[in-house]
Coordinates of all heavy atoms in Angstrom, one line a residue:
M1 N 54.5 -12.1 156.8 CA 53.6 -13.1 157.4 C 52.6 -13.6 156.5 O 52.0 -12.8 155.7 CB 53.0 -12.5 158.7 CG 52.5 -13.6 159.6 SD 51.7 -12.9 161.1 CE 50.4 -14.1 161.4
I2 N 52.3 -14.9 156.5 CA 51.3 -15.5 155.6 C 49.9 -15.2 156.1 O 49.5 -15.4 157.3 CB 51.5 -17.0 155.5 CG1 52.9 -17.3 154.9 CG2 50.4 -17.6 154.5 CD1 53.3 -18.7 155.2
Q3 N 49.1 -14.6 155.2 CA 47.7 -14.3 155.6 C 46.8 -15.6 155.5 O 46.9 -16.3 154.5 CB 47.1 -13.2 154.6 CG 47.6 -11.8 154.9 CD 47.0 -11.3 156.2 OE1 45.8 -11.4 156.5 NE2 47.8 -10.6 157.0
T4 N 46.1 -15.9 156.5 CA 45.2 -17.0 156.4 C 43.8 -16.6 156.7 O 43.5 -15.6 157.3 CB 45.6 -18.1 157.5 OG1 45.7 -17.5 158.8 CG2 47.0 -18.7 157.1
T5 N 42.9 -17.5 156.3 CA 41.5 -17.2 156.5 C 40.8 -18.2 157.5 O 39.7 -18.5 157.4 CB 40.7 -17.1 155.2 OG1 41.0 -18.3 154.5 CG2 41.1 -15.9 154.4
M6 N 41.7 -18.8 158.3 CA 41.2 -19.8 159.2 C 40.4 -19.1 160.3 O 40.6 -18.0 160.8 CB 42.4 -20.5 159.9 CG 43.2 -21.3 158.9 SD 44.4 -22.3 159.7 CE 45.3 -21.2 160.6
S7 N 39.4 -19.9 160.8 CA 38.6 -19.4 161.9 C 38.3 -20.5 162.9 O 38.4 -21.7 162.5 CB 37.2 -18.8 161.3 OG 36.6 -19.8 160.6
C8 N 38.0 -20.1 164.1 CA 37.8 -21.1 165.1 C 36.6 -22.0 164.8 O 35.5 -21.5 164.4 CB 37.5 -20.3 166.5 SG 37.0 -21.4 167.8
G9 N 36.7 -23.3 165.0 CA 35.6 -24.2 164.7 C 34.5 -24.1 165.7 O 33.4 -24.6 165.5
K10 N 34.8 -23.5 166.8 CA 33.8 -23.4 167.9 C 33.0 -22.1 167.9 O 31.8 -22.1 168.0 CB 34.5 -23.6 169.3 CG 33.7 -24.5 170.2 CD 34.6 -24.8 171.4 CE 33.9 -25.8 172.3 NZ 34.7 -26.0 173.6
C11 N 33.8 -21.0 167.9 CA 33.1 -19.7 167.9 C 33.2 -18.9 166.6 O 32.5 -17.8 166.5 CB 33.6 -18.9 169.1 SG 35.3 -18.2 168.9
G12 N 34.0 -19.4 165.7 CA 34.0 -18.7 164.4 C 35.0 -17.5 164.4 O 35.1 -16.8 163.4
S13 N 35.6 -17.2 165.5 CA 36.5 -16.1 165.6 C 37.8 -16.3 164.8 O 38.3 -17.5 164.6 CB 36.9 -15.8 167.1 OG 38.0 -15.0 167.2
T14 N 38.4 -15.3 164.2 CA 39.6 -15.4 163.4 C 40.8 -15.1 164.3 O 41.9 -15.0 163.8 CB 39.6 -14.6 162.1 OG1 39.2 -13.3 162.5 CG2 38.6 -15.1 161.1
A15 N 40.6 -14.8 165.6 CA 41.7 -14.4 166.5 C 42.4 -15.7 167.0 O 42.2 -16.2 168.1 CB 41.1 -13.6 167.7
L16 N 43.2 -16.3 166.1 CA 43.9 -17.5 166.4 C 45.4 -17.2 166.5 O 45.9 -16.3 165.9 CB 43.7 -18.5 165.3 CG 42.3 -18.9 164.9 CD1 42.3 -19.8 163.7 CD2 41.6 -19.6 166.1
R17 N 46.0 -18.0 167.4 CA 47.4 -17.9 167.4 C 48.0 -19.3 167.6 O 47.4 -20.2 168.1 CB 47.9 -16.9 168.5 CG 47.8 -17.4 169.9 CD 48.3 -16.4 170.9 NE 48.1 -16.8 172.3 CZ 48.8 -17.6 173.0 NH1 49.9 -18.2 172.4 NH2 48.5 -17.9 174.2
K18 N 49.3 -19.4 167.1 CA 49.9 -20.7 167.1 C 50.2 -21.1 168.6 O 50.5 -20.3 169.4 CB 51.3 -20.6 166.4 CG 51.1 -21.0 164.9 CD 52.5 -21.2 164.3 CE 52.2 -21.6 162.8 NZ 53.4 -21.4 162.0
N19 N 50.0 -22.4 168.8 CA 50.1 -22.9 170.2 C 50.8 -24.3 170.1 O 50.1 -25.3 170.5 CB 48.7 -23.0 170.8 CG 48.8 -23.3 172.3 OD1 49.7 -22.8 173.0 ND2 47.9 -24.1 172.8
G20 N 52.0 -24.4 169.6 CA 52.7 -25.6 169.6 C 52.4 -26.5 168.4 O 51.7 -26.0 167.5
H21 N 52.8 -27.7 168.4 CA 52.6 -28.6 167.3 C 52.0 -30.0 167.8 O 52.3 -30.4 168.9 CB 53.9 -28.9 166.6 CG 54.4 -27.7 165.9 ND1 55.2 -26.7 166.5 CD2 54.3 -27.3 164.6 CE1 55.5 -25.8 165.7 NE2 55.0 -26.1 164.5
S22 N 51.3 -30.7 166.9 CA 50.8 -32.0 167.2 C 50.9 -32.8 165.9 O 50.4 -32.4 164.9 CB 49.4 -31.9 167.7 OG 48.9 -33.2 167.8
H23 N 51.7 -33.9 166.0 CA 51.9 -34.8 164.8 C 52.4 -34.0 163.6 O 52.0 -34.2 162.5 CB 50.6 -35.5 164.5 CG 50.0 -36.3 165.6 ND1 50.6 -37.4 166.1 CD2 48.9 -36.0 166.3 CE1 49.8 -37.9 167.1 NE2 48.8 -37.1 167.3
G24 N 53.4 -33.1 163.9 CA 54.0 -32.4 162.8 C 53.2 -31.2 162.3 O 53.6 -30.6 161.3
Q25 N 52.0 -31.0 162.8 CA 51.1 -29.9 162.3 C 50.9 -28.9 163.4 O 50.8 -29.2 164.6 CB 49.8 -30.5 161.8 CG 49.9 -31.1 160.5 CD 48.7 -31.8 160.0 OE1 48.0 -32.4 160.8 NE2 48.4 -31.7 158.8
A26 N 50.9 -27.6 163.0 CA 50.7 -26.6 163.9 C 49.3 -26.6 164.6 O 48.3 -26.9 164.0 CB 50.8 -25.2 163.2
K27 N 49.4 -26.4 165.9 CA 48.2 -26.3 166.7 C 47.8 -24.9 166.9 O 48.7 -24.1 167.1 CB 48.4 -27.0 168.0 CG 47.5 -28.1 168.3 CD 47.8 -29.0 169.5 CE 48.7 -28.4 170.6 NZ 48.9 -29.4 171.7
Y28 N 46.6 -24.5 166.9 CA 46.2 -23.2 167.0 C 45.2 -23.0 168.2 O 44.5 -23.9 168.5 CB 45.5 -22.6 165.8 CG 46.5 -22.4 164.7 CD1 46.7 -23.5 163.8 CD2 47.1 -21.2 164.5 CE1 47.7 -23.3 162.8 CE2 48.0 -21.1 163.5 CZ 48.3 -22.1 162.6 OH 49.2 -21.9 161.6
L29 N 45.4 -21.9 168.9 CA 44.5 -21.6 170.0 C 43.7 -20.4 169.7 O 44.2 -19.4 169.2 CB 45.4 -21.3 171.2 CG 44.7 -20.8 172.5 CD1 44.1 -22.0 173.2 CD2 45.8 -20.2 173.4
C30 N 42.4 -20.5 169.9 CA 41.5 -19.4 169.7 C 41.6 -18.5 170.9 O 41.3 -18.9 172.1 CB 40.1 -19.9 169.5 SG 38.9 -18.6 169.5
T31 N 42.0 -17.2 170.7 CA 42.1 -16.3 171.8 C 40.8 -15.8 172.4 O 40.7 -15.3 173.4 CB 43.0 -15.1 171.5 OG1 42.5 -14.5 170.3 CG2 44.4 -15.6 171.2
A32 N 39.7 -16.1 171.6 CA 38.4 -15.6 172.0 C 37.7 -16.6 173.0 O 37.2 -16.2 174.0 CB 37.5 -15.4 170.8
C33 N 37.8 -17.9 172.7 CA 37.1 -18.9 173.5 C 38.0 -19.9 174.1 O 37.6 -20.9 174.7 CB 36.0 -19.5 172.7 SG 36.5 -20.7 171.5
R34 N 39.3 -19.8 173.9 CA 40.3 -20.7 174.4 C 40.2 -22.2 173.8 O 40.8 -23.1 174.3 CB 40.3 -20.9 175.9 CG 40.2 -19.5 176.7 CD 41.3 -18.6 176.4 NE 42.6 -19.0 177.0 CZ 43.7 -18.4 176.8 NH1 43.8 -17.3 176.0 NH2 44.8 -18.8 177.3
H35 N 39.5 -22.3 172.7 CA 39.4 -23.6 172.0 C 40.6 -23.8 171.2 O 41.1 -22.9 170.5 CB 38.2 -23.6 171.1 CG 38.0 -24.8 170.2 ND1 37.7 -26.0 170.7 CD2 38.2 -25.0 168.9 CE1 37.7 -26.9 169.7 NE2 37.9 -26.3 168.6
Q36 N 41.2 -25.1 171.3 CA 42.4 -25.3 170.5 C 42.2 -26.5 169.5 O 41.5 -27.4 169.9 CB 43.7 -25.4 171.3 CG 43.7 -26.2 172.5 CD 45.1 -26.4 173.1 OE1 46.1 -26.5 172.4 NE2 45.2 -26.4 174.4
A37 N 42.8 -26.4 168.4 CA 42.6 -27.4 167.4 C 43.8 -27.4 166.4 O 44.6 -26.4 166.3 CB 41.3 -27.2 166.6
V38 N 43.9 -28.5 165.7 CA 44.9 -28.6 164.6 C 44.2 -28.3 163.3 O 43.2 -28.9 163.0 CB 45.5 -30.1 164.6 CG1 46.5 -30.2 163.4 CG2 46.2 -30.4 165.9
F39 N 44.8 -27.4 162.5 CA 44.2 -27.1 161.2 C 45.1 -27.7 160.2 O 46.3 -27.5 160.1 CB 44.1 -25.6 161.1 CG 43.1 -24.9 162.0 CD1 43.5 -24.5 163.3 CD2 41.8 -24.8 161.6 CE1 42.6 -23.9 164.1 CE2 40.9 -24.2 162.5 CZ 41.2 -23.8 163.7
A40 N 44.5 -28.4 159.3 CA 45.2 -29.0 158.1 C 44.5 -28.6 156.9 O 43.8 -29.4 156.3 CB 45.3 -30.5 158.3
P41 N 44.8 -27.4 156.4 CA 44.1 -26.9 155.2 C 44.4 -27.7 153.9 O 43.7 -27.7 153.0 CB 44.4 -25.5 155.1 CG 45.6 -25.3 155.9 CD 45.6 -26.4 157.0
A42 N 45.6 -28.3 153.9 CA 46.1 -28.9 152.6 C 45.3 -30.2 152.3 O 45.0 -30.4 151.2 CB 47.6 -29.2 152.7
A43 N 45.0 -31.0 153.4 CA 44.4 -32.3 153.1 C 43.0 -32.2 152.5 O 42.8 -32.8 151.4 CB 44.3 -33.0 154.5
P44 N 42.1 -31.4 153.0 CA 40.8 -31.4 152.3 C 40.9 -30.7 150.9 O 40.1 -31.1 150.0 CB 39.9 -30.5 153.3 CG 40.8 -29.9 154.2 CD 42.1 -30.7 154.3
R45 N 41.8 -29.8 150.8 CA 41.9 -29.2 149.4 C 42.4 -30.2 148.4 O 41.9 -30.3 147.3 CB 43.0 -28.0 149.5 CG 42.9 -27.1 148.4 CD 44.0 -26.0 148.4 NE 45.3 -26.7 148.3 CZ 46.4 -26.3 149.0 NH1 46.4 -25.3 149.8 NH2 47.5 -27.0 148.8
K46 N 43.3 -31.1 148.8 CA 43.8 -32.1 147.9 C 42.7 -33.1 147.6 O 42.6 -33.6 146.5 CB 45.0 -32.8 148.6 CG 46.3 -32.1 148.2 CD 47.5 -33.0 148.4 CE 48.8 -32.2 147.9 NZ 49.9 -32.5 148.8
A47 N 41.9 -33.5 148.6 CA 40.9 -34.4 148.4 C 39.9 -34.0 147.4 O 39.5 -34.7 146.5 CB 40.1 -34.7 149.8
V48 N 39.6 -32.7 147.4 CA 38.7 -32.0 146.4 C 39.3 -32.1 145.0 O 38.7 -32.5 144.1 CB 38.4 -30.6 146.8 CG1 37.7 -29.8 145.7 CG2 37.5 -30.5 148.1
Q49 N 40.7 -31.8 145.0 CA 41.4 -31.8 143.7 C 41.4 -33.2 143.1 O 41.2 -33.5 141.9 CB 42.8 -31.4 143.9 CG 43.0 -29.9 143.7 CD 44.5 -29.5 143.8 OE1 45.3 -30.2 144.5 NE2 44.9 -28.5 143.2
Y50 N 41.7 -34.3 144.0 CA 41.8 -35.6 143.5 C 40.4 -36.1 143.0 O 40.3 -36.9 142.0 CB 42.3 -36.5 144.6 CG 43.8 -36.3 145.0 CD1 44.5 -35.4 144.3 CD2 44.4 -37.1 145.9 CE1 45.9 -35.2 144.6 CE2 45.7 -36.9 146.3 CZ 46.5 -35.9 145.6 OH 47.8 -35.7 145.9
A51 N 39.3 -35.7 143.7 CA 38.0 -36.1 143.3 C 37.7 -35.5 141.9 O 37.1 -36.2 141.0 CB 37.0 -35.6 144.3
Q52 N 38.2 -34.3 141.7 CA 38.0 -33.6 140.4 C 38.8 -34.4 139.3 O 38.3 -34.6 138.2 CB 38.5 -32.2 140.5 CG 37.9 -31.3 139.4 CD 38.5 -29.9 139.6 OE1 39.3 -29.6 140.4 NE2 38.0 -29.0 138.8
V53 N 40.0 -34.8 139.6 CA 40.9 -35.5 138.7 C 40.2 -36.8 138.3 O 40.1 -37.2 137.1 CB 42.3 -35.8 139.3 CG1 43.0 -36.8 138.5 CG2 43.1 -34.5 139.4
E54 N 39.7 -37.5 139.3 CA 39.0 -38.8 139.0 C 37.8 -38.7 138.1 O 37.5 -39.5 137.3 CB 38.7 -39.5 140.3 CG 39.9 -40.2 140.9 CD 39.7 -40.8 142.3 OE1 38.7 -40.5 142.9 OE2 40.6 -41.5 142.7
K55 N 37.1 -37.6 138.3 CA 35.9 -37.3 137.5 C 36.3 -37.0 136.1 O 35.7 -37.6 135.1 CB 35.1 -36.1 138.1 CG 33.6 -36.1 137.8 CD 33.0 -34.8 138.3 CE 32.6 -34.0 137.1 NZ 32.4 -32.5 137.4
L56 N 37.3 -36.2 135.9 CA 37.8 -35.9 134.6 C 38.4 -37.2 133.9 O 38.2 -37.3 132.7 CB 38.9 -34.8 134.6 CG 38.4 -33.4 135.0 CD1 39.6 -32.5 135.3 CD2 37.6 -32.8 133.9
L57 N 39.0 -38.1 134.6 CA 39.5 -39.3 134.1 C 38.4 -40.2 133.5 O 38.5 -40.8 132.5 CB 40.3 -40.1 135.1 CG 41.7 -39.6 135.4 CD1 42.2 -40.2 136.7 CD2 42.7 -39.8 134.3
L58 N 37.2 -40.2 134.3 CA 36.1 -40.9 133.8 C 35.5 -40.4 132.5 O 34.9 -41.1 131.7 CB 35.0 -40.9 134.9 CG 35.2 -41.8 136.1 CD1 34.2 -41.6 137.2 CD2 35.2 -43.3 135.7
E59 N 35.7 -39.0 132.4 CA 35.2 -38.4 131.1 C 36.2 -38.5 130.0 O 36.0 -37.9 129.0 CB 34.9 -36.9 131.4 CG 33.7 -36.7 132.3 CD 33.5 -35.3 132.8 OE1 34.2 -34.4 132.3 OE2 32.7 -35.1 133.7
R60 N 37.2 -39.3 130.2 CA 38.3 -39.6 129.2 C 39.0 -38.3 128.8 O 39.4 -38.2 127.6 CB 37.7 -40.3 128.0 CG 37.1 -41.7 128.4 CD 36.9 -42.6 127.2 NE 36.7 -44.0 127.6 CZ 37.7 -44.8 127.8 NH1 38.9 -44.4 127.6 NH2 37.5 -46.0 128.1
V61 N 39.2 -37.4 129.7 CA 40.0 -36.2 129.4 C 41.4 -36.6 129.5 O 41.8 -37.4 130.4 CB 39.7 -35.1 130.5 CG1 40.6 -33.9 130.3 CG2 38.2 -34.7 130.4
S62 N 42.3 -36.1 128.6 CA 43.7 -36.5 128.6 C 44.4 -36.1 129.9 O 44.0 -35.1 130.5 CB 44.4 -36.0 127.4 OG 44.8 -34.6 127.6
Q63 N 45.4 -36.8 130.3 CA 46.1 -36.5 131.6 C 46.8 -35.2 131.5 O 46.7 -34.4 132.5 CB 47.2 -37.6 131.8 CG 46.6 -38.9 132.2 CD 47.7 -39.9 132.6 OE1 48.8 -39.6 132.8 NE2 47.3 -41.2 132.7
R64 N 47.3 -34.8 130.4 CA 47.9 -33.4 130.3 C 46.9 -32.3 130.4 O 47.1 -31.3 131.0 CB 48.6 -33.3 128.9 CG 50.0 -33.9 129.0 CD 50.6 -34.0 127.6 NE 51.6 -35.2 127.6 CZ 52.8 -35.1 128.1 NH1 53.2 -34.0 128.7 NH2 53.6 -36.1 128.0
A65 N 45.7 -32.6 129.9 CA 44.6 -31.6 130.1 C 44.2 -31.5 131.5 O 43.9 -30.4 132.0 CB 43.4 -32.0 129.2
I66 N 44.1 -32.6 132.2 CA 43.8 -32.6 133.6 C 44.8 -31.8 134.4 O 44.4 -31.0 135.3 CB 43.7 -34.1 134.2 CG1 42.5 -34.8 133.5 CG2 43.5 -34.1 135.7 CD1 42.4 -36.2 133.8
V67 N 46.1 -32.0 134.1 CA 47.1 -31.2 134.8 C 46.9 -29.7 134.6 O 47.0 -29.0 135.6 CB 48.5 -31.6 134.3 CG1 49.6 -30.7 134.8 CG2 48.8 -33.1 134.6
R68 N 46.6 -29.4 133.4 CA 46.3 -28.0 133.1 C 45.1 -27.4 133.8 O 45.1 -26.3 134.3 CB 46.1 -27.8 131.6 CG 46.5 -26.5 131.0 CD 46.6 -26.5 129.5 NE 45.4 -27.1 128.9 CZ 45.3 -28.0 128.0 NH1 46.4 -28.5 127.5 NH2 44.2 -28.5 127.6
L69 N 44.1 -28.2 133.9 CA 42.8 -27.8 134.5 C 42.8 -27.7 136.0 O 42.3 -26.8 136.7 CB 41.6 -28.7 134.1 CG 41.2 -28.6 132.6 CD1 40.3 -29.8 132.2 CD2 40.5 -27.3 132.4
T70 N 43.5 -28.7 136.6 CA 43.4 -28.9 138.1 C 44.7 -28.4 138.8 O 44.7 -28.1 140.0 CB 43.2 -30.3 138.5 OG1 44.2 -31.1 138.0 CG2 41.9 -30.8 138.0
G71 N 45.8 -28.4 138.1 CA 47.1 -28.0 138.7 C 47.7 -29.1 139.5 O 48.7 -28.9 140.2
V72 N 47.2 -30.3 139.4 CA 47.7 -31.5 140.1 C 48.9 -32.0 139.2 O 48.9 -32.0 138.0 CB 46.7 -32.6 140.2 CG1 47.3 -33.9 140.8 CG2 45.5 -32.1 141.1
A73 N 50.0 -32.5 139.9 CA 51.2 -32.9 139.2 C 50.8 -34.1 138.3 O 50.0 -35.0 138.6 CB 52.3 -33.3 140.2
R74 N 51.5 -34.2 137.1 CA 51.2 -35.3 136.1 C 51.4 -36.7 136.7 O 50.6 -37.6 136.4 CB 52.0 -35.1 134.9 CG 51.3 -35.7 133.7 CD 52.0 -35.5 132.4 NE 53.2 -36.4 132.3 CZ 53.1 -37.7 132.0 NH1 52.0 -38.3 131.7 NH2 54.2 -38.5 132.0
M75 N 52.4 -36.8 137.5 CA 52.6 -38.2 138.1 C 51.5 -38.6 139.0 O 51.1 -39.7 139.1 CB 54.0 -38.2 138.9 CG 55.2 -38.2 138.0 SD 55.1 -39.4 136.7 CE 55.1 -41.0 137.6
T76 N 50.9 -37.6 139.7 CA 49.8 -37.8 140.6 C 48.6 -38.2 139.8 O 47.8 -39.1 140.1 CB 49.5 -36.6 141.5 OG1 50.7 -36.1 142.1 CG2 48.4 -36.8 142.5
V77 N 48.4 -37.5 138.7 CA 47.3 -37.8 137.8 C 47.4 -39.3 137.2 O 46.5 -40.0 137.2 CB 47.2 -36.8 136.6 CG1 46.1 -37.2 135.6 CG2 46.9 -35.4 137.1
A78 N 48.7 -39.6 136.8 CA 48.9 -40.9 136.3 C 48.6 -42.0 137.4 O 48.1 -43.1 137.1 CB 50.4 -41.0 135.9
K79 N 49.0 -41.7 138.6 CA 48.8 -42.6 139.7 C 47.3 -42.8 140.0 O 46.8 -44.0 140.1 CB 49.5 -42.0 141.0 CG 49.6 -43.0 142.1 CD 50.3 -42.4 143.3 CE 49.4 -41.4 144.0 NZ 50.0 -40.6 145.1
L80 N 46.5 -41.7 139.9 CA 45.1 -41.8 140.1 C 44.4 -42.5 139.0 O 43.4 -43.3 139.2 CB 44.5 -40.4 140.3 CG 44.8 -39.7 141.6 CD1 44.4 -38.2 141.5 CD2 44.1 -40.3 142.8
A81 N 45.0 -42.4 137.8 CA 44.4 -43.0 136.6 C 44.6 -44.5 136.7 O 43.7 -45.3 136.4 CB 45.1 -42.5 135.3
K82 N 45.7 -44.9 137.2 CA 46.0 -46.4 137.4 C 45.1 -46.9 138.5 O 44.6 -48.0 138.3 CB 47.5 -46.5 137.9 CG 48.2 -47.7 137.2 CD 49.7 -47.6 137.6 CE 50.4 -48.8 136.9 NZ 51.8 -48.7 137.3
K83 N 44.9 -46.2 139.5 CA 44.0 -46.6 140.6 C 42.6 -46.8 140.1 O 41.9 -47.8 140.4 CB 44.1 -45.6 141.8 CG 43.7 -46.1 143.1 CD 43.7 -45.1 144.2 CE 42.5 -44.3 144.2 NZ 42.5 -43.2 145.3
S84 N 42.1 -45.8 139.4 CA 40.7 -45.8 138.9 C 40.5 -46.9 137.8 O 39.4 -47.3 137.6 CB 40.2 -44.4 138.4 OG 40.9 -44.1 137.3
A85 N 41.6 -47.2 137.1 CA 41.4 -48.3 136.1 C 41.3 -49.6 136.7 O 40.7 -50.5 136.1 CB 42.7 -48.2 135.2
G86 N 41.8 -49.8 137.9 CA 41.6 -51.1 138.7 C 42.7 -52.1 138.3 O 43.6 -51.8 137.4
P87 N 42.7 -53.3 138.9 CA 43.7 -54.3 138.7 C 43.5 -55.1 137.4 O 44.2 -56.0 137.1 CB 43.6 -55.2 139.9 CG 42.2 -55.0 140.3 CD 41.7 -53.7 139.9
A88 N 42.5 -54.7 136.5 CA 42.2 -55.4 135.3 C 43.3 -55.3 134.3 O 43.4 -56.1 133.4 CB 40.9 -54.9 134.8
E89 N 44.1 -54.2 134.4 CA 45.2 -54.0 133.4 C 46.3 -55.0 133.4 O 46.7 -55.4 134.5 CB 45.8 -52.6 133.5 CG 45.1 -51.6 132.6 CD 45.8 -50.3 132.6 OE1 45.9 -49.7 133.7 OE2 46.2 -49.8 131.6
Ligands
ZN1 ZN1 36.9 -19.8 169.4

């Protein structure tokens, strides 16, 4: 079983259990306060990574170095580089 460090957004309890799906993502139910929510840990983690990539691009760090530093795929770095460069190219 995969160990997670998720906690209830309402009471902070880690006593969560899976309670069906919503929009393709697992829904969790807090067994302590009965609060239920969808947890999407990948999305905020990626947003942080992409922000870091964009910062490194501004510092003119090479794409390969960014891949090494952040672990983001090179194609993704290239895509973000194109986006941050704007339509001037
Ligand atoms: Zn709770």
